[in-house]
Amino acid sequence: VSSLSLMQRWDTLSERERQRQYEAEREKERLLAEKKQTWQQNFYGAPDVLRAAVAQHGAAALLQTEMYHDSQESPFHVAARSGDLDKLQYLWTESSVGPELACAVDKHGRTPLMIAAKSAHLHVVGWLLVNTRICPPETVVKQTIASDDSRMVGKSTALHFAAYGGNEVIVQLLAAAYPNLVPLANSQGQTAASVARL
């Protein structure tokens, strides 16, 4: 066998192997995307769907951050955004990871309390203030810029979020619960009071 034909055979095998590896990677990505979609339908879904998923997969599955939306919002964040108090109460009381979810931050540094405050869900903010006071104080201060709203700059507090949301009662609730937030300025030097006037 000539050295040329051995080289051609090697090149062919290498090309086949590269193609096989490429196809295997594509299949792996497809399966992960499918798994992620199923996970999101279950864990971001209606409360009864969520309960069934937790019963089947266990509460620890709620912490699989690689399955979260691109913004890294947990099921707790999503429920806070939509004002779904039933789901929040279930996640808090029935799953062993409720406190961890309640204090979690998304990739923009936002907690469920911040999201509920900005979304002006008074009933959710009130419930979170009563039930999630176990979160470390630093989790009420956002450290990064949120891409979905250019006004939300670094070091915005939950109080800033409430001011942006425009609900005066939520602002008052948060100011009473966290009086230390009132004088804090974001990275643009704005307090929550100055944000409310914008």
Side-chain angles (χ1 to χ4, degrees), residues 4-166:
L4 183 60
S5 64
L6 281 174
M7 187 65 87
Q8 287 170 332
R9 190 179 305 163
W10 174 255
D11 286 344
T12 305
L13 286 174
S14 296
E15 183 59 38
R16 281 186 197 148
E17 185 58 32
R18 280 194 294 264
Q19 184 64 30
R20 218 175 284 140
Q21 286 178 356
Y22 173 76
E23 288 172 4
E25 283 298 314
R26 296 281 302 196
E27 180 62 11
K28 189 175 169 184
E29 288 172 10
R30 186 190 68 75
L31 290 172
L32 180 60
E34 195 174 278
K35 182 179 178 184
K36 192 173 180 176
Q37 182 180 17
T38 301
W39 188 98
Q40 290 176 2
Q41 287 171 345
N42 288 331
F43 290 98
Y44 292 146
D48 57 329
V49 175
L50 172 65
R51 285 184 180 89
V54 170
Q56 181 180 356
H57 302 287
L62 290 162
L63 300 175
Q64 291 180 314
T65 56
E66 70 278 7
M67 296 297 168
Y68 292 177
H69 290 146
D70 292 339
S71 63
Q72 293 296 294
E73 289 185 340
S74 73
F76 217 87
H77 285 87
V78 174
R81 181 183 305 287
S82 65
D84 192 337
L85 189 55
D86 288 342
K87 191 181 287 185
L88 286 170
Q89 290 171 331
Y90 169 74
L91 288 166
W92 180 255
T93 59
E94 301 298 323
S95 81
S96 58
V97 295
E100 197 167 343
L101 289 170
C103 301
V105 294
D106 64 12
K107 79 174 185 181
H108 302 296
R110 300 172 298 191
T111 62
L113 176 62
M114 292 173 177
I115 288 174
K118 185 167 180 257
S119 301
H121 294 306
L122 177 60
H123 62 296
V124 171
V125 169
W127 184 86
L128 287 169
L129 286 174
V130 169
N131 290 281
T132 65
R133 292 300 292 245
I134 50 91
C135 297
E138 63 271 15
T139 61
V140 295
V141 179
K142 179 172 118 11
Q143 297 300 320
T144 56
I145 296 172
S147 62
D148 63 343
D149 187 341
S150 60
R151 297 176 305 167
M152 295 308 300
V153 298
K155 297 189 178 177
S156 292
T157 67
L159 196 55
H160 285 94
F161 276 76
Y164 285 122

